[in-house]
Amino acid sequence: MSSLKNVTDATFDQEVLSSGKTVLVDFWAEWCGPCRAVGPILEQIALENSDKIEIVKLNVDDNPQTAAKYQITSIPAMKVYQGGEVVKSVIGAKPKPALESELAAFLA
Amino acid sequence: MRQMIIIGSGPAGFTAAIYAARAELAPLVIASSVEIGGELMNTTEVENFPGFADGIMGPELMERMQAQAERFGAEIVYDDVTEVDLSGDVKRVTIGAGKDAKVEEALSVIVATGSAYRKLALPDEDRLSGYGVSWCATCDGAFFRKQEIAVVGGGDSAMEEANFLTRFADKVYLIHRRDSFRASKIMQQRTFDNPKIEVLWNSEVAALHGETQLSSLTLRDTASNAERELTVTGLFVAIGNDPRVHLFHNQLDLTPEGTIAVDGRSSRTNRAGVFAAGDVIDPTYRQAVTAAASGTVAALDAEHYLASLPEDLLLQATGHVDEGTAPAAGSTLDADGELVGQP
């Protein structure tokens, strides 16, 4: 089981958009192999950068409204939110160093 | 130091690991960080792997291969190889990057890095990747419910993706450059029989359009060069694969097709102690079964090679130093590979 918090259609506003923190949402699904592969990497990044960024997961099957609102057409999709706005999108499973360099601005 | 490192975790890598582990070579399998299990992890039903009469899901097949390798003692690490030095008797393989980088040494290396999806090489392809352009129907197909989308390609992968995508999409255009498919007969028939698929022959994708999401394609007729627009919200690219050899440039000889060159039907590369298996040496067949068979060949070749090495080298890898015959400090090898004690 993932150690990351799950957000839903119902909690997205409160947990992500209204959060005072920088929040990365991992849009994923059970049947997506690359999503399962990148999950543990996100857990590590969350652990190592807990003071800078919060990482949460959103299951696109269970929460179609949010997935549709953000026009998710490819998963895993990782979107970084600040003040309710998407400030960065990363698509596809990537090795840890590649993800860290994509997210460098939020991990510094 | 180890006896064997296997780079890759598809059917070739895991089958090599099963054979090597049963031969008590304690192989280290470097499985990658995000592509563990290889290409079959992104497929659904595998119907042509012998022994599975009712078919088996690609990911399950790979999990079973991994479990089989682990059962016999293969060690698996979920990280990426970033550098190799294959020149000496002792091969050096760097895993990970930056502060986390680690070097593993082994007397033999099996390269089973497979292949990567080929891109269309169009200007807006990278920008629209993940925004309508995809290489993974099983990952992304469900986002195209009730939409009109396209698949480009003419092989089994393209047919499989097109048929799979009709579960979600209202209509799937199958775009192909030629006037016939190279896919297997059964997959072609399934495609022709599927009322949601329309084949667009002699057509190639000339351009991709869309601001934030793909909205249409420009198709070019390969005979007349006439261009036309096709309105689709998704494009799945299945135009083939290229062998993954970027780690091995200047170290291993390649073929004109870009695969790693091996000696005849063996897995031997131009470097002693380095073997290659699976899609990375195969520009032609590229099946789960041929890759698995190729992994077997590599494990047996490597086992044979290890058996031919001088004992002192092997001892460094196995650590099984028999106290009674251990060389005294300062011993050296003579020209015949015999240990000679220092006077």
Side-chain angles (χ1 to χ4, degrees):
Chain A
M1 275 309 285
S2 170
S3 61
L4 299 175
K5 184 197 281 182
N6 287 295
V7 297
T8 65
D9 281 346
T11 63
F12 197 82
D13 270 358
Q14 188 197 335
E15 305 263 17
V16 178
L17 300 182
S18 308
S19 170
K21 288 186 254 179
T22 301
V23 183
L24 181 150
V25 182
D26 172 26
F27 293 84
W28 72 289
E30 204 68 62
W31 37 263
C32 157
C35 298
R36 284 200 296 272
V38 83
I41 294 174
L42 289 173
E43 284 177 41
Q44 280 178 31
I45 293 177
L47 210 61
E48 291 166 11
N49 301 278
S50 56
D51 52 330
K52 299 167 200 121
I53 193 166
E54 185 179 6
I55 302 186
V56 300
K57 295 169 83 75
L58 182 124
N59 183 312
V60 296
D61 282 337
D62 301 341
N63 303 284
Q65 285 174 20
T66 308
K69 180 179 172 194
Y70 290 98
Q71 295 191 303
I72 304 296
T73 54
S74 185
I75 52 172
M78 290 147 273
K79 290 186 182 286
V80 181
Y81 294 79
Q82 281 179 334
E85 299 290 326
V86 178
V87 292
K88 172 84 185 172
S89 296
V90 182
I91 304 272
K94 294 179 185 190
K96 189 165 177 248
L99 263 184
E100 284 173 336
S101 93
E102 292 244 27
L103 298 172
F106 311 103
L107 305 181
Chain B
M1 184 173 56
R2 298 163 184 278
Q3 295 188 76
M4 184 187 291
I5 289 173
I6 298 170
I7 307 173
S9 58
F14 276 142
T15 307
I18 292 166
Y19 272 77
R22 291 192 75 242
E24 298 187 342
L25 300 176
L28 175 70
V29 180
I30 305 170
S32 91
S33 63
V34 291
E35 293 176 288
I36 304 131
E39 205 182 329
L40 282 184
M41 296 303 283
N42 292 337
T43 63
T44 52
E45 193 90 14
V46 178
E47 294 180 333
N48 53 13
F49 203 90
F52 296 94
D54 301 319
I56 180 167
M57 298 301 276
E60 191 190 346
L61 180 60
M62 295 320 300
E63 280 161 21
R64 289 196 192 194
M65 283 192 202
Q66 176 171 347
Q68 197 173 351
E70 287 177 310
R71 177 184 157 202
F72 296 109
E75 185 185 337
I76 297 170
V77 35
Y78 304 104
D79 209 337
D80 303 290
V81 174
T82 47
E83 201 182 339
V84 294
D85 177 358
L86 305 174
S87 53
D89 281 340
V90 177
K91 321 295 178 194
R92 293 166 58 83
V93 176
T94 307
I95 303 172
K99 59 180 178 4
D100 300 326
K102 186 179 170 203
V103 175
E104 290 282 349
E105 293 181 333
L107 294 175
S108 66
V109 170
I110 293 178
V111 177
T113 45
S115 56
Y117 302 120
R118 190 173 294 159
K119 293 186 173 188
L120 292 163
L122 292 173
D124 294 300
E125 188 172 9
D126 285 340
R127 183 175 63 84
L128 291 171
S129 288
Y131 302 94
V133 179
S134 173
W135 281 263
C136 181
T138 56
C139 303
D140 302 338
F143 298 109
F144 295 89
R145 280 201 176 84
K146 312 247 176 246
Q147 300 183 34
E148 300 207 346
I149 60 177
V151 173
V152 55
D156 272 340
S157 302
M159 311 288 123
E160 192 190 315
E161 299 219 334
N163 280 284
F164 175 77
L165 288 166
T166 59
R167 294 187 197 181
F168 310 106
D170 279 349
K171 169 120 194 175
V172 177
Y173 294 99
L174 182 52
I175 301 164
H176 187 46
R177 283 185 299 173
R178 302 178 210 288
D179 59 5
S180 64
F181 291 132
R182 63 179 185 280
S184 60
K185 285 280 179 278
I186 185 169
M187 290 309 294
Q188 291 197 35
Q189 200 54 50
R190 253 178 232 179
T191 302
F192 297 141
D193 291 346
N194 191 323
K196 285 185 167 181
I197 298 177
E198 179 179 341
V199 180
L200 304 177
W201 301 107
N202 300 313
S203 302
E204 62 186 10
V205 181
L208 307 168
H209 309 289
E211 286 296 316
T212 56
Q213 294 274 326
L214 182 74
S215 55
S216 69
L217 316 171
T218 301
L219 296 185
R220 186 189 296 124
D221 187 298
T222 52
S224 68
N225 272 331
E227 293 192 347
R228 67 185 179 98
E229 299 291 297
L230 182 70
T231 303
V232 287
T233 51
L235 176 68
F236 288 81
V237 182
I239 55 170
N241 296 53
D242 293 311
R244 255 193 280 224
V245 295
H246 62 277
L247 289 167
F248 311 105
H249 286 298
N250 305 320
Q251 299 202 50
L252 297 180
D253 289 347
L254 303 182
T255 66
E257 288 100 344
T259 52
I260 293 176
V262 292
D263 181 14
R265 296 184 62 209
S266 83
S267 65
R268 290 189 298 273
T269 68
N270 58 305
R271 296 261 186 205
V274 182
F275 307 85
D279 283 5
V280 79
I281 65 165
D282 179 3
T284 313
Y285 304 107
R286 305 191 54 259
Q287 301 299 303
V289 184
T290 53
S294 175
T296 303
V297 169
L300 295 176
D301 285 345
E303 188 182 353
H304 188 246
Y305 168 81
L306 288 166
S308 76
L309 290 177
E311 202 165 321
D312 69 321
L313 254 185
L314 269 177
L315 283 176
Q316 288 179 43
T318 58
H320 297 150
V321 180
D322 183 332
E323 283 185 13
T325 56
S331 294
T332 52
L333 289 174
D334 70 8
D336 298 321
E338 294 294 321
L339 276 171
V340 223
Q342 222 153 22

